Amino acid sequence: MHSNSEDNWDSIREKIIGLGEQSIRKSYYPELQERLSELERFRALLDETNEAIFLSEVPSGHFTDVNNSACQQLGYSAGKMLEMNVEDIIAPDKLDEMRTIIFSLFDGKHLQNRKTIETVLQGSDGSQINVEMSISLVKFSDAFYTVMVARDITERKLFEDALKSSLKEKEVLIQEIHHRVKNNMQIISSLLNLQKQYVNDEEAVNVLKESQNRVKSMAMIHEKLYKSRNFSEINFTEYIRSLVSDLFYSYGVDSNQIKTIIVLEEVMMGLETAIPCGLIISELVTNTLKYAFPHTEPGEFKIELHSSSDRCYNLIISDNGVGIPENIDFDETDTLGLQLVNSLVNQLEGTIELTRKNGTEFKIKFKELQYEERM
Amino acid sequence: MERVLELRKFVAPEFIFGSGARLLVGRYAKNFGARKVLIVTDPQVMDVGLVAPVINALKEEGIDYQIYSDIKSNPTAYQVTEGADLYLNENCNFIVAVGGGSPMDCAKAIGIVSSNQKEVHEFEGVDKVAVPSPPLICIPTTAGSAADVSQFAIITDSRRKLKMAIVSKTVVPDVALIDPETTLTLDKSLTIATGFDVLSHAVEAYVSNASSPITDLHALEAIRLASQNLIPTSNDLENIYLRGKMMLSSLNAGLAFSNASLGLVHAMAHSLGGFLDLPHGECNALLLDHVVEFNFEAESGKYREIAKVFNLKITGMDDNEVQSALIKKIRDLKAEAEVDYSLHDVGVTSSDISELAAKAMNDACIITNPRRPTPQDVEEIFKNAL
């Protein structure tokens, strides 16, 4: 304290005597008033929120405080609620779950641990309200309480249900579309089959048969899709087995004559990649069946599919037949089948390698294609 | 006589005086809503068994407690901070001080530091406390400081080597349980030192320029009781009757000085105590007669009344004669109590005096001294006491 100036000394003396503005006797009242106003403001904050808020003693479960929303939503007066217990407002089939949560919090004395559950409250008229409730344990003095904050999620539940049924509808629709696409392709395939019976030229029969098989290889993918109920991917391993067996049947090849070795890893593949890949396999298998063993001598056909971690695939199709004649340049070929294979490999952004050693071996490397948004 | 019409205020806590008063602490704490009490005391008080009955009284009411006893005489700002941290960490809501001036002043400071969340030096001066401390009950165990009824708390700032005076009506305790039995264990030297503290409180309050007819009543009664009973009590330490008289003297002096404030003796004693860490009562004893010598002319009428209460026959004496007689009386008392040594004997040297005087000039107690001293005056008084 600096006591240099006369004025200062006089004003300090006034205060010592007790006549200064702040020279009041110790009183808790102003502080109390301030805290009360704070509490009132806080009370308003609690009452004006839409969430129902409950404070209850643990372990008795008696309510010690509830906000306006809690009373309104459940249809009790505040006075009535304070005579009640947590168990009085929970739907009977949700009681066990509630007890378990409260006692696990209480037993562990988990003060910082908030649990959020979906449960059902029961109002005074027996009506049930779906709520999302967060429950936390607090401690005042030496007593434990739970704070429960419940949000009415009836509307959200309705939206969720609507969303689920709309999703179901779409699934059925997509299934139906794949079904119809497959059926239409089946019809095209049948038409080609009929057509085949009305031509005598062997070359024409062949062309029709090849076209028919191409259509079938695509139809099969749609069939796999709607049967699996997974509309984004098909089990490509299964597909290859069906396709190969179909082609063998189509060309009337006895599996005793051409021994088939299938080495496939389990692969799920998107539609985007599966269709071109299916066509490639169809072409190359057809090629083997038609040309590799011209004198129906016994032989071996092998198909392998390997995948690596970054969704890269290695497809190897080989046979020990006569091999592709040296005069056929694979890159500059004018046969439709091989042209098709080349352009499909390009579409897959992959590479193809032909080895003419003990027959024919095609090695195709490609990646799973990303689905591209159509405009 | 015009002083009768000057504005004066009298503030005192609720207090209970008498044997067994301290045992009411449980009831009072409960009525104030105490949940967990911080008991502020010191090791000596605990050793003589004055804290255990307080704890039992609290326990009987089912009230939890925590003890802070790491207090030496002349409590420091550091101890206040430590106590306030303990108060907050232990989630206490009530304070009980058991002890002499040091634990009680420390408890007052712990209270305001914890309720205001400020450093203790921010309260230095008059009326600097915004939020009152939590409820505080004081149980004095010395007949001296009267901190249990006063608006003063004196805390040592070790860094600046001085005593800070915190003066605020908000540090007046809520209840004082004044039980003379607690003083039965005081040894002779502490009995004498605290006795001179009472005497200085009473004399300074009586001649203070903030005194009032009400404080005068208490001050004169305190001087009467102290002058008659100080020496007898120091020679008969376990006489509860004499202890009661000294306790009553301390209470009267406390009521007087809390409202009229003090003067130069205390301003100088605070400076001295902060500088050398000497017992407060002893500092007062060493300075009292020298300050009377300086102040006499400013309040000769009042000093004549003091002389009468000291049982001096002053009829027919002029002021100079009364002054000499009163000073001689005080010095005789000091001699009888064996505190008739000088500041030099306790380690003060002449080179310390200007610093001691400067700090005394800045003490709140100097404001109400009946005669306005200059720094040179204060230096002169220190020199006289050397």
Side-chain angles (χ1 to χ4, degrees), chain B residues 49-279:
Chain B
L50 288 170
V51 177
V54 169
I55 291 174
N56 288 337
L58 292 173
K59 274 187 185 164
E60 271 174 32
E61 298 293 348
I63 298 168
D64 197 6
Y65 66 93
Q66 174 71 37
I67 296 176
Y68 180 64
S69 66
D70 192 15
I71 296 175
K72 59 180 190 65
S73 73
N74 299 329
T76 61
Y78 174 76
Q79 288 158 351
V80 172
T81 308
E82 207 175 52
D85 287 347
L86 186 65
Y87 178 91
L88 294 171
N89 291 339
E90 289 291 325
N91 203 14
C92 300
N93 73 339
F94 200 90
I95 303 177
V96 171
V98 187
S102 302
M104 287 194 285
D105 282 353
C106 196
K108 288 176 172 182
I110 286 171
I112 54 178
V113 165
S114 57
S115 65
N116 288 272
Q117 307 272 340
K118 286 182 172 177
E119 300 284 329
V120 67
H121 63 77
E122 294 179 68
F123 304 112
E124 183 181 3
V126 187
D127 286 352
K128 297 287 172 63
V129 183
V131 183
S133 89
L136 169 66
I137 293 178
C138 282
I139 302 175
T141 61
T142 61
S145 75
D148 46 300
V149 294
S150 81
Q151 61 163 328
F152 290 76
I154 308 296
I155 302 295
T156 297
D157 183 337
S158 316
R159 193 175 49 80
R160 288 184 289 162
K161 281 183 81 175
L162 55 78
K163 286 190 165 189
M164 299 181 283
I166 297 166
V167 187
S168 168
K169 302 279 184 281
T170 62
V171 300
V172 176
D174 294 80
V175 178
L177 300 174
I178 308 166
D179 190 339
E181 287 178 15
T182 60
T183 60
L184 284 170
T185 50
L186 284 180
D187 65 19
K188 181 164 179 161
S189 79
L190 207 50
T191 304
I192 287 168
T194 52
F196 272 94
D197 196 17
V198 173
L199 200 56
S200 316
H201 287 157
V203 170
E204 293 221 281
Y206 187 61
V207 300
S208 155
N209 64 27
S211 64
S212 73
I214 302 295
T215 60
D216 287 352
L217 280 177
H218 291 290
L220 282 181
E221 178 62 2
I223 296 170
R224 191 181 68 78
L225 286 166
S227 62
Q228 288 173 9
N229 296 292
L230 201 166
I231 299 300
T233 308
S234 72
N235 292 324
D236 189 3
L237 295 173
E238 289 180 26
N239 185 328
I240 185 65
Y241 181 73
L242 290 174
R243 290 290 194 185
K245 295 272 186 167
M246 284 309 290
M247 199 58 142
L248 197 55
S249 174
S250 169
L251 170 60
N252 272 296
L255 294 172
F257 90 77
S258 176
N259 291 286
S261 192
L262 296 158
L264 204 39
V265 175
H266 274 80
M268 293 171 70
H270 289 157
S271 169
L272 195 56
F275 192 70
L276 287 178
D277 200 16
L278 292 172

Side-chain angles (χ1 to χ4, degrees), chain B residues 42 45 63 75 101 118 156 179 207 246 284 332 359 362 374:
Chain B
D42 67 34
V45 173
I63 298 168
K118 286 182 172 177
T156 297
D179 190 339
V207 300
M246 284 309 290
N284 285 333
D332 288 347
K359 283 176 177 167
N362 275 327
T374 63

Side-chain angles (χ1 to χ4, degrees), chain A residues 173-220:
Chain A
L173 205 63
I174 291 173
Q175 200 176 0
E176 185 60 25
I177 288 171
H178 282 298
H179 197 169
R180 288 190 190 181
V181 169
K182 175 242 158 194
N183 281 352
N184 288 347
M185 287 182 164
Q186 195 83 61
I187 290 168
I188 297 171
S189 166
S190 301
L191 286 174
L192 292 171
N193 197 30
L194 276 175
Q195 199 90 56
K196 205 167 63 183
Q197 289 167 20
Y198 291 91
V199 290
N200 294 323
D201 179 25
E202 198 186 337
E203 186 57 28
V205 168
N206 257 334
V207 168
L208 286 171
K209 189 188 237 178
E210 280 170 23
S211 298
Q212 188 189 353
N213 283 336
R214 283 171 190 141
V215 171
K216 268 165 90 180
S217 81
M218 290 196 286
M220 207 183 283

Side-chain angles (χ1 to χ4, degrees), chain A residues 4-23:
Chain A
N4 302 333
S5 87
E6 187 116 342
D7 285 353
N8 199 13
W9 276 45
D10 285 346
S11 86
I12 293 169
R13 179 173 168 271
E14 288 277 287
K15 290 182 192 168
I16 291 171
I17 292 172
L19 303 174
E21 262 181 64
Q22 300 301 313
S23 308

Side-chain angles (χ1 to χ4, degrees), chain A residues 59-278:
Chain A
S60 76
H62 286 301
F63 290 122
T64 44
D65 222 335
V66 294
N67 72 343
N68 257 349
S69 298
C71 299
Q72 280 168 5
Q73 287 174 28
L74 294 173
Y76 294 108
S77 70
K80 176 72 187 163
M81 287 234 47
L82 296 186
E83 294 167 8
M84 290 164 56
N85 187 299
V86 173
E87 303 199 348
D88 298 331
I89 62 154
I90 303 291
D93 57 329
K94 296 287 182 181
L95 266 177
D96 282 342
E97 182 192 23
M98 184 58 80
R99 287 187 192 122
T100 310
I101 287 171
I102 291 178
F103 284 102
S104 80
L105 283 171
F106 181 58
D107 291 340
K109 304 282 181 278
H110 294 306
L111 288 175
Q112 304 300 326
N113 201 346
R114 175 185 306 217
K115 295 219 163 140
T116 303
I117 54 162
E118 280 186 17
T119 187
V120 181
L121 300 183
Q122 188 158 293
S124 60
D125 56 359
S127 61
Q128 299 205 328
I129 309 165
N130 283 303
V131 294
E132 182 186 87
M133 183 185 270
S134 74
I135 305 168
S136 45
L137 189 71
V138 293
K139 190 181 175 192
F140 299 127
S141 302
D142 287 329
F144 285 92
Y145 297 82
T146 50
V147 177
M148 302 191 297
V149 180
R151 173 190 307 219
D152 188 335
I153 53 166
T154 311
E155 261 187 39
R156 196 180 87 189
K157 280 272 179 200
L158 289 176
F159 282 133
E160 268 177 22
D161 289 348
L163 206 62
K164 272 184 200 157
S165 76
S166 154
L167 189 66
K168 178 76 193 156
E169 257 171 47
K170 291 204 171 70
E171 275 175 12
V172 172
L173 205 63
I174 291 173
Q175 200 176 0
E176 185 60 25
I177 288 171
H178 282 298
H179 197 169
R180 288 190 190 181
V181 169
K182 175 242 158 194
N183 281 352
N184 288 347
M185 287 182 164
Q186 195 83 61
I187 290 168
I188 297 171
S189 166
S190 301
L191 286 174
L192 292 171
N193 197 30
L194 276 175
Q195 199 90 56
K196 205 167 63 183
Q197 289 167 20
Y198 291 91
V199 290
N200 294 323
D201 179 25
E202 198 186 337
E203 186 57 28
V205 168
N206 257 334
V207 168
L208 286 171
K209 189 188 237 178
E210 280 170 23
S211 298
Q212 188 189 353
N213 283 336
R214 283 171 190 141
V215 171
K216 268 165 90 180
S217 81
M218 290 196 286
M220 207 183 283
I221 285 178
H222 289 282
E223 186 180 18
K224 293 269 178 223
L225 275 177
Y226 81 73
K227 282 192 173 161
S228 77
R229 299 185 148 262
N230 174 351
F231 303 124
S232 56
E233 289 181 322
I234 62 165
N235 183 326
F236 204 67
T237 318
E238 270 178 30
Y239 169 78
I240 292 176
R241 284 180 203 282
S242 309
L243 183 63
V244 169
S245 115
D246 222 51
L247 288 167
F248 270 59
Y249 176 79
S250 159
Y251 282 95
V253 177
D254 184 354
S255 56
N256 290 326
Q257 184 217 328
I258 301 179
K259 193 180 162 207
T260 311
I261 301 167
I262 301 182
V263 184
L264 303 172
E265 280 179 32
E266 278 297 313
V267 166
M268 296 298 289
M269 200 179 276
L271 194 58
E272 210 73 353
T273 318
I275 290 202
C277 193

Side-chain angles (χ1 to χ4, degrees), chain A residues 296-321:
Chain A
T296 62
E297 65 272 35
E300 199 176 274
F301 163 76
K302 191 174 183 186
I303 180 163
E304 291 174 66
L305 180 66
H306 305 285
S307 68
S308 59
S309 56
D310 49 351
R311 302 212 93 176
C312 275
Y313 299 107
N314 248 335
L315 175 68
I316 304 161
I317 296 172
S318 59
D319 61 61
N320 61 354

Side-chain angles (χ1 to χ4, degrees), chain A residues 342-353:
Chain A
N342 266 334
S343 93
L344 289 167
V345 169
N346 278 337
Q347 192 182 325
L348 284 177
E349 296 166 11
T351 59
I352 183 161
E353 201 182 297

